[in-house]
Amino acid sequence: MSADSLTTLRAENEELRLRLEEAEQALEAIRTGQVDSLVVDSPDGVQIYSLESAIHSYRVLVEAMSEGAATVNDDGTIVYCNERLATLAGAPLERVMGSALRAWTPERLRPTVDSMLRRAPDGDVREELVLARNDGVEIPVYASMTAIHEEGERVYCVVLTDLRAQKRSEEIVAAERLARSVLDQAVEAIVVCDRQGHVTRASHAAEALCGRSPLFLPFVEAFPLAPSGSDRGARPRDVAQAALGGEVLRAVAGSLDRADGTRLDVLVSAAAVRGADGEGVGCVITLVDVTELRRREEALRRSEERYRTAAESLRDADRRKNEFLAVLSHELRNPLAPIHNSLYILERTAPGGEQETRAKAILHRQVRQLTRLVDDLLDLTRISRNKVELRTERLELNELVRRTIEDHRSLFEANGVALEVKLAPDPIRVRVDGPRMAQVIGNLLQNAAKFTARGGRARVSVSRDDAERRAVVDVADTGVGIPPDLVDRLFEPFIQAERTLDRSKGGLGLGLALVKSLVEMHGGDVSARSDGVGRGAEFRVRLPIDEAAGAAPRAKRRTARHQRRILVIEDNPDTASSLREALELGGHVVAVAYDGAEGIARAREFRPEVVVCDIGLPGMDGYAVARALRREPDGMAYYLVALTGYAQPEDVN
């Protein structure tokens, strides 16, 4: 029942109530003898009511009421009721009359009925009650109780108004308010559509998600959804029509194009709403904005990927470190065995013989090998710390390569590898650190000789690339080649193309890393190429050409050797004595001290030109000795040389 219908019904009932009250007053006046009859001017004409006619009229009015009406005595017994009341009570009329009024109310409300009976003699009493039917149904009613007299006795007229329609209307209004409140306060976007798929209601979150008011628009227009990850031009999916067609969507991923052109990632759920007859009356759709969540998930995925990459890099670095330590120990032990054997031979062979000559040659080769290993380690450390200072000069590249080849030619001859050299027809000037660039080319030559089997060939060529204004040095061989998976990593430290148990080729895997670092420090680049294992390799070094005018500087003349007064401060007796003898063989005058204090004292007596001082002296270290010597009267004239195994950049003081 609508609110307007309820209002009309209540107005009609109120009119009947007023007429009933008038009839009751007339009946009371006739019964008490105040008047003999009552004249009423009605639309049907003037009517004269006697007592009997007044009672009859009262009964007719009561029966005509749409509300339940009854007459009860002082103890609440129903002496008369109309059919409407019997209908409300859900019992026959004869059963209702003669029963107690309180018997038709729940136990909890019977005290209220008793209270109304006590208060009714003093005036009208009105309360909200509940009629309890025999079938268990409770009907809310509005009860009014008025005292009247009938046949000389005081009775009470009770009128019960059915409140079910009003309650239903109030419930509908309350439900409407609750629904509106839910939509207004919902955190997620909630959209209600009618049978045509048009938006009839939307939460504030839905309006914010849409970027405009979606009311009365087709859902597919207000919320154009595309499958997740699809192109922006993909046809939007009409979720409302899918739900109205019986499809149930649960957290389906999609992309939403908002009115302002931005795209959001959303999860969509949708289902139809059905009426009491089972027919669809609309649908409800929820949309959850997961754009930020997806962004964080992607960031987390990238972080995890970086973590996995870093972890893999660490594992690879750790593996390479372990391999390097194993190689280092092997490479250091290899020269020590022939050195030890050569010393054994020298102690037992006659001076000047062939055995002595061979032993000395072995010692020279193995010491050079140890020196090269240590130098490679130190050079790589210095380069990684940016502690290498290049002393560049303008040199002719053909001449630099030729001299370097001559220094290494014996290595090719010893290994039985033919070496072909092809220099550029014209001079090529480059600005480089001569010794460092010779080291670069020398490392490539050593690799070519080392990894090419006897009977193989190696080729060195110098050319120029006028288009790139670069000088090019190529070193190629017919050796073991490079596996494809190692070509891109070949210039990393400790990487070697061959890893055999006997390690017959030797080395720490640092040569190419040094080559790359030194070439790049000169503004050049280096690359490697190979057709695969057993098919040789080619390395190409490219350097900027120096176009400055002028001839290349002449080679410096070697200065004549002079006798020097040299003080050696070294706590290791073997090192001190061997260095002393080596310097004396060069014609120098040498004094030795075995700790810092003794060294300072000997300097005052000996007055050296050069002081060779160990850094790791006991007690007073080499740094303290150097500072003390500088404070001596002639200390600033001393040429100080550090003798140490500490070779890290931070050891420079």
Side-chain angles (χ1 to χ4, degrees), residues 199 440 651:
V199 178
V440 167
D651 296 322

Side-chain angles (χ1 to χ4, degrees), residues 227-246:
S228 181
S230 66
D231 295 334
R232 184 172 291 274
R235 181 182 178 184
R237 184 181 185 190
D238 196 335
V239 173
Q241 292 301 328
L244 290 170

Side-chain angles (χ1 to χ4, degrees), residues 175-413:
E176 176 71 18
R177 290 175 179 171
L178 177 61
R180 184 70 262 173
S181 178
V182 169
L183 288 177
D184 289 343
Q185 301 180 41
V187 176
E188 307 301 346
I190 302 176
V191 179
V192 179
C193 297
D194 60 18
R195 292 177 179 177
Q196 287 72 43
H198 290 73
V199 178
T200 57
R201 293 185 182 180
S203 65
H204 291 324
E207 293 184 3
L209 191 66
C210 177
R212 58 176 174 170
S213 174
L215 293 179
F216 312 118
L217 293 175
F219 179 86
V220 70
E221 179 181 335
F223 298 90
L225 293 168
S228 181
S230 66
D231 295 334
R232 184 172 291 274
R235 181 182 178 184
R237 184 181 185 190
D238 196 335
V239 173
Q241 292 301 328
L244 290 170
E247 186 176 353
V248 177
L249 306 179
R250 292 184 174 89
V252 177
S255 297
L256 172 64
D257 288 321
R258 302 176 74 236
D260 60 3
T262 58
R263 170 166 284 196
L264 302 177
D265 292 322
V266 295
L267 295 179
V268 184
S269 300
V273 177
R274 303 191 180 280
D277 56 359
E279 293 295 325
V281 296
C283 63
V284 175
I285 303 169
T286 61
L287 303 98
V288 181
D289 183 1
V290 294
T291 306
E292 180 64 18
L293 178 62
R294 292 287 170 81
R295 187 191 66 78
R296 293 182 181 181
E297 286 178 347
E298 180 62 22
L300 180 60
R301 187 194 63 77
R302 290 195 297 267
S303 297
E304 290 175 347
E305 184 64 27
R306 287 195 296 269
Y307 170 79
R308 285 193 294 269
T309 302
E312 182 62 30
S313 298
L314 288 175
R315 284 192 292 269
D316 184 61
D318 183 65
R319 176 184 57 77
R320 288 163 52 193
K321 179 261 298 180
N322 292 335
E323 291 179 359
F324 164 69
L325 292 177
V327 171
L328 179 61
S329 63
H330 184 278
E331 291 299 313
L332 291 178
R333 282 196 299 270
N334 274 353
L336 293 178
I339 288 174
H340 184 272
N341 294 337
S342 298
L343 291 174
Y344 179 86
I345 293 171
L346 289 176
E347 290 172 352
R348 289 164 175 76
T349 189
E354 291 184 6
Q355 286 183 313
E356 179 185 27
T357 301
R358 287 195 299 270
K360 287 181 179 179
I362 291 173
L363 286 173
H364 282 296
R365 285 196 301 272
Q366 298 306 319
V367 169
R368 282 198 301 271
Q369 173 68 3
L370 279 173
T371 302
R372 185 179 66 81
L373 293 175
V374 174
D375 285 346
D376 282 353
L377 282 171
L378 297 180
D379 282 345
L380 191 63
T381 300
R382 294 187 185 106
I383 290 173
S384 65
R385 301 289 187 88
N386 294 321
K387 296 296 183 180
V388 171
E389 181 180 353
L390 297 180
R391 299 178 180 177
T392 61
E393 55 183 330
R394 193 165 184 261
L395 298 177
E396 205 282 307
L397 186 59
N398 284 315
E399 180 62 20
L400 176 63
V401 172
R402 186 192 62 77
R403 289 200 309 265
T404 305
I405 290 174
E406 292 305 317
D407 290 341
H408 292 80
R409 188 177 292 277
S410 60
L411 180 60
F412 287 88
E413 294 173 353

Side-chain angles (χ1 to χ4, degrees), residues 11-259:
E12 293 174 353
N13 286 336
E14 185 65 23
E15 181 180 354
L16 285 173
R17 189 194 310 278
L18 292 176
R19 293 177 62 187
L20 182 62
E21 288 180 356
E22 291 178 357
E24 289 173 350
Q25 292 172 2
L27 185 62
E28 183 68 13
I30 294 172
R31 181 182 291 115
T32 56
Q34 297 178 18
V35 295
D36 293 332
S37 62
L38 184 66
V39 178
V40 178
D41 186 8
S42 69
D44 299 332
V46 178
Q47 298 184 17
I48 302 174
Y49 288 93
S50 62
L51 177 60
E52 290 77 10
S53 62
I55 294 174
H56 176 72
S57 297
Y58 173 76
R59 299 289 188 188
V60 171
L61 286 172
V62 169
E63 290 298 335
M65 289 178 64
S66 62
E67 296 174 313
T71 303
V72 300
N73 58 21
D74 284 333
D75 62 2
T77 300
I78 300 174
V79 296
Y80 168 78
C81 71
N82 62 2
E83 288 287 348
R84 178 58 179 164
L85 179 58
T87 302
L88 289 176
L93 185 64
E94 58 272 13
R95 181 179 173 189
V96 177
M97 288 193 294
S99 64
L101 178 62
R102 65 197 312 273
W104 300 97
T105 59
E107 186 71 31
R108 66 182 184 279
L109 294 177
R110 288 175 182 174
T112 304
V113 175
D114 296 338
S115 174
M116 294 178 69
L117 289 170
R118 289 194 302 271
R119 291 182 286 128
D122 298 328
D124 291 347
V125 179
R126 301 169 187 265
E127 293 283 355
E128 280 198 20
L129 293 176
V130 173
L131 281 182
R133 294 161 54 108
N134 288 336
D135 57 7
V137 176
E138 293 188 351
I139 300 176
V141 295
Y142 184 75
S144 65
M145 186 178 292
T146 305
I148 63 173
H149 290 80
E150 190 174 86
E151 298 178 357
E153 295 182 4
R154 185 176 64 186
V155 294
Y156 304 97
C157 178
V158 178
V159 178
L160 302 178
T161 303
D162 187 353
L163 296 180
R164 283 179 296 182
Q166 179 181 345
K167 293 293 185 182
R168 283 195 296 270
S169 178
E170 291 175 352
E171 290 173 357
I172 292 172
V173 172
E176 176 71 18
R177 290 175 179 171
L178 177 61
R180 184 70 262 173
S181 178
V182 169
L183 288 177
D184 289 343
Q185 301 180 41
V187 176
E188 307 301 346
I190 302 176
V191 179
V192 179
C193 297
D194 60 18
R195 292 177 179 177
Q196 287 72 43
H198 290 73
V199 178
T200 57
R201 293 185 182 180
S203 65
H204 291 324
E207 293 184 3
L209 191 66
C210 177
R212 58 176 174 170
S213 174
L215 293 179
F216 312 118
L217 293 175
F219 179 86
V220 70
E221 179 181 335
F223 298 90
L225 293 168
S228 181
S230 66
D231 295 334
R232 184 172 291 274
R235 181 182 178 184
R237 184 181 185 190
D238 196 335
V239 173
Q241 292 301 328
L244 290 170
E247 186 176 353
V248 177
L249 306 179
R250 292 184 174 89
V252 177
S255 297
L256 172 64
D257 288 321
R258 302 176 74 236

Side-chain angles (χ1 to χ4, degrees), residues 417-440:
V417 177
L419 179 61
E420 175 188 348
V421 180
K422 183 180 180 180
L423 301 179
D426 299 316
I428 302 176
R429 312 295 181 186
V430 291
R431 184 164 294 279
V432 296
D433 184 319
R436 289 297 186 183
M437 194 51 57
Q439 182 182 3
V440 167

